[in-house]
Amino acid sequence: EPEVTQTPSHQVTQMGQEVILRCVPISNHLYFYWYRQILGQKVEFLVSFYNNEISEKSEIFDDQFSVERPDGSNFTLKIRSTKLEDSAMYFCASTAWGTYEQYFGPGTRLTVT
Amino acid sequence: AQKVTQAQTEISVVEKEDVTLDCVYETRDTTYYLFWYKQPPSGELVFLIRRNSFDEQNEISGRYSWNFQKSTSSFNFTITASQVVDSAVYFCALSEVGRNFNKFYFGSGTKLNVKP
């Protein structure tokens, strides 16, 4: 069964550093999402992406965040200058056209020290 | 206002007990989807069920069952004869069709502890 993959599974970085979280959505999917889950809290929407542009972003998704689909298969989330409060699990998800089920990746645990 | 409310923060039961996890949602849309996910300690989100707003039929899958009631905007999840392996955090989620590219609204989760 096709699945969404994410790399790395765990990333440790120092405050102020840039990080790029990578996702490979399911190949025929057209809608892509990033969600964030701070430890012990609920999963929160960050951004949705369709047709090579952001379709919606939450208040959390400020200028420090950006997303890109650089090569037609990868979908990346970049945090330019990480803060301690960016420590969280980041989930990527994708959806096919005309369906309403999002397939979630296994997550990347980001730890900012 | 919260779109999805899971009022039970944590529940502890003894193995073989039945347990119900509550989920109340809020939406003005007539077409929407509801989901349950299980999050084990390893952190991934494991899909359990999807239900659309036009299908109020209750569903049973093994020891799991779901009770969807539009009249009370609830989508409750029952585990029959719980097992230690059921210990996890369970999230209810809502997706409003036709807007916002179907972003999910998650509840705050219910942590289920099943003791042997």
Side-chain angles (χ1 to χ4, degrees), chain A residues 19-111:
Chain A
V19 294
I20 297 176
L21 309 183
R22 290 183 166 80
C23 167
V24 179
I26 295 173
S27 62
N28 63 340
H29 284 190
L30 298 176
Y31 302 94
F32 314 109
Y33 310 81
W34 282 101
Y35 291 82
R36 181 183 82 174
Q37 184 186 29
I38 294 172
L39 185 64
Q41 298 187 21
K42 68 178 177 181
V43 179
E44 298 175 289
F45 169 78
L46 286 179
V47 65
S48 58
F49 191 86
Y50 169 71
N51 200 25
N52 283 320
E53 60 182 23
I54 290 174
S55 49
E56 186 184 0
K57 58 184 180 180
S58 72
E59 294 173 354
I60 304 167
F61 195 89
D62 61 22
D63 292 344
Q64 292 298 314
F65 291 90
S66 62
V67 289
E68 198 176 37
R69 190 157 159 81
D71 56 13
S73 61
N74 290 284
F75 179 49
T76 62
L77 174 68
K78 183 194 291 186
I79 308 175
R80 288 189 183 82
S81 178
T82 50
K83 308 183 187 83
L84 293 176
E85 54 265 36
D86 293 326
S87 294
M89 180 78 97
Y90 289 81
F91 291 102
C92 173
S94 67
T95 305
W97 174 264
T99 70
Y100 304 104
E101 182 173 341
Q102 289 186 18
Y103 291 79
F104 284 86
T108 292
R109 187 173 297 282
L110 176 65
T111 302

Side-chain angles (χ1 to χ4, degrees), chain A residues 33 35 99-102, chain B residues 4 27 29 31-35 51 53 93-105:
Chain A
Y33 310 81
Y35 291 82
T99 70
Y100 304 104
E101 182 173 341
Q102 289 186 18
Chain B
V4 179
T27 180
D29 286 14
T31 304
Y32 51 89
Y33 282 81
L34 295 164
F35 301 80
R51 198 40 121 213
S53 51
L94 165 72
S95 176
E96 294 169 322
V97 170
R99 71 170 65 179
N100 301 335
F101 294 91
N102 306 321
K103 73 178 182 185
F104 276 30
Y105 299 91

Side-chain angles (χ1 to χ4, degrees), chain B residues 14-103:
Chain B
V14 177
E15 207 170 20
K16 296 184 185 175
E17 285 185 7
D18 298 348
V19 59
T20 295
L21 311 182
D22 298 333
C23 173
V24 173
Y25 63 92
E26 178 184 335
T27 180
R28 294 180 180 176
D29 286 14
T30 55
T31 304
Y32 51 89
Y33 282 81
L34 295 164
F35 301 80
W36 275 95
Y37 286 85
K38 174 181 180 180
Q39 187 175 47
S42 51
E44 73 271 25
L45 292 169
V46 178
F47 169 79
L48 296 178
I49 190 171
R50 177 186 66 188
R51 198 40 121 213
N52 76 55
S53 51
F54 297 109
D55 183 2
E56 285 194 74
Q57 192 170 19
N58 291 332
E59 180 154 341
I60 298 174
S61 175
R63 296 184 297 107
Y64 296 169
S65 62
W66 290 270
N67 183 350
F68 176 29
Q69 293 197 340
K70 287 178 75 170
S71 60
T72 55
S73 297
S74 65
F75 185 44
N76 296 338
F77 172 32
T78 297
I79 302 175
T80 304
S82 59
Q83 299 176 0
V84 172
V85 294
D86 295 327
S87 296
V89 180
Y90 291 85
F91 289 96
C92 180
L94 165 72
S95 176
E96 294 169 322
V97 170
R99 71 170 65 179
N100 301 335
F101 294 91
N102 306 321
K103 73 178 182 185

